[in-house]
Amino acid sequence: MRIGLIGTGRIGSFHAGVLSRHREVGSLVVADTDAARAAAVADRCGATAAPSANEIFTWGVDAVVIASATAAHAELIARAARAGLPAFCEKPIALDLPGTLQALHAVEQAGTELQLGFMRRFDAGYTAARERVRSGRLGRLHTVRAITSDPAPPPAAYLPLSGGLYRDCLVHDFDILRWVTGREITEVYATGSDAGHAMFREAGDVDTAAALLTLDDGTLATATATRCNGAGYDVRMELAGELDQVAVGLDDRTPISSTEPHGLPPVDKPWPGFLERFAPAYEAELDAFVRLVLGEAENPCDGREALTALRVAEACERSRREHRPVGLDEIPAQ
């Protein structure tokens, strides 16, 4: 199999390493707007560097992996669809609903496959939590608490391009909440704080956010996120039912300590970032894509799943701006 990879930044470089080692990938072609960076990644991985993304679509690849800047995702998805190529794309499809829907229509019209990069679906902890919820071991689920905390803010130039904290970070929580529980989010009430660095206010964004989410069976969920968690990278989920309670992401690298006399001590090596925390999940999702291309597996996260998560993020942003609950039926799905 020959795969074309577009984008060789941090996540793209990681994907290049994974794909170059995959037993089913015989050839890897990489491209980036920074040709020198693409060449360096190709040299490290034993891949071929293309002069631009154009060659990815003319050099006879069997599938495309998109890890470019977010602004280019929708166009590249549509281009892959028109070429009849299955595509894997890092989230999001686009930063707004019109762009997302346009790309999805291109895929559906072409009849090709699009897998989105919601890697938490491949994490062992979330997978185990899903099994416990679906098997009934927790009993009736009544409360879910989701946390995404980055250790430090991104560069100021990234913020206006990110789509905001709900679309950029919390969208992962919205997706995994649906995947673990098997329920739909029907209403949100969200707020945020821009009390940190001035660059958040200048970008019209917030550095910390919280959302109260109501699921279609009455389960209540909270989702919080921050760009300013100096203790380390912290991504967790707690699920409480009438029979039991479990936590995802609680281990000897979780950046939290207890104030109780016999509680957990401070960790020696907290998770520094998302690549370290979710490396096995990133590898597993690319393996799932390869098997999808080979016709050996179903699509584990198609574009419509990504659309649903984005609609929740859009509802949260509207709720924050308008200071009111927002139903998901207010956000277009077509």
Side-chain angles (χ1 to χ4, degrees):
M1 179 188 300
R2 191 179 206 197
I3 289 184
L5 169 67
I6 303 173
T8 56
R10 187 180 181 191
I11 189 63
S13 178
F14 181 89
H15 288 338
V18 172
L19 291 168
S20 67
R21 297 190 300 269
H22 198 286
R23 63 186 180 279
E24 298 290 351
V25 180
S27 177
L28 179 65
V29 182
V30 302
D32 195 285
T33 53
D34 184 337
R37 183 168 67 183
V41 169
D43 186 60
R44 287 199 304 271
C45 298
T48 300
S52 71
N54 292 329
E55 285 73 23
I56 296 293
F57 298 99
T58 59
W59 284 7
V61 300
D62 300 300
V64 178
V65 171
I66 300 168
S68 61
T70 297
H73 286 186
E75 178 186 353
L76 291 170
I77 288 169
R79 193 169 181 182
R82 291 193 297 270
L85 295 171
F88 172 94
C89 184
E90 282 299 326
K91 65 84 190 167
I93 294 174
L95 290 178
D96 58 18
L97 283 170
T100 299
L101 291 169
Q102 186 174 2
L104 289 178
H105 290 158
V107 171
E108 290 164 0
Q109 184 175 11
T112 54
E113 293 282 1
L114 170 63
Q115 179 183 332
L116 263 291
F118 282 109
M119 76 291 186
R120 296 187 195 181
R121 294 183 177 215
F122 299 88
D123 177 73
Y126 285 107
T127 300
R130 185 177 194 260
E131 188 278 328
R132 294 196 188 189
V133 170
R134 304 296 184 91
S135 68
R137 290 173 62 183
L138 302 186
R140 182 185 69 84
L141 196 65
H142 54 75
T143 306
V144 183
R145 294 174 285 271
I147 298 169
T148 293
S149 298
D150 286 335
Y158 173 76
L159 292 177
L161 308 175
S162 71
L165 194 57
Y166 297 104
R167 301 183 189 95
D168 187 44
C169 287
L170 278 167
V171 70
H172 279 290
D173 297 276
F174 304 148
D175 176 74
I176 204 63
L177 176 62
R178 297 178 58 249
W179 188 77
V180 168
T181 65
R183 313 305 309 192
E184 294 297 335
I185 297 165
T186 60
E187 185 181 80
V188 308
Y189 188 78
T191 188
S193 170
D194 60 5
H197 197 284
M199 64 182 180
F200 293 99
R201 293 185 292 279
E202 292 166 359
D205 197 6
V206 294
D207 58 71
T208 304
L212 174 63
L213 314 165
T214 302
L215 307 191
D216 58 10
D217 64 346
T219 300
L220 296 181
T222 58
T224 63
T226 184
R227 302 279 198 186
C228 310
N229 197 56
Y233 183 73
D234 187 9
V235 170
R236 284 178 283 136
M237 175 181 275
E238 299 170 359
L239 300 110
E242 291 182 337
L243 299 180
D244 202 0
Q245 181 173 230
V246 295
V248 179
L250 188 60
D251 59 21
D252 60 1
R253 298 193 68 181
T254 305
I256 190 169
S257 57
S258 173
T259 59
E260 298 298 327
H262 304 292
L264 296 172
V267 297
D268 292 329
K269 295 181 179 180
W271 293 111
F274 64 92
L275 272 181
E276 295 82 4
R277 166 68 176 85
F278 288 109
Y282 279 116
E283 293 197 30
E285 71 174 359
L286 285 179
D287 179 66
F289 178 62
V290 170
R291 290 189 290 113
L292 172 66
V293 175
L294 291 172
E296 299 175 354
E298 297 295 319
N299 193 333
C301 186
D302 66 21
R304 287 288 164 182
E305 295 288 295
L307 172 63
T308 301
L310 177 61
R311 290 177 63 232
V312 178
E314 291 284 337
C316 285
E317 188 60 54
R318 181 176 297 183
S319 176
R320 179 181 76 88
R321 291 196 312 267
E322 299 180 5
H323 303 285
R324 66 175 180 90
V326 174
L328 263 289
D329 55 4
E330 297 184 43
I331 309 300
Q334 297 291 338

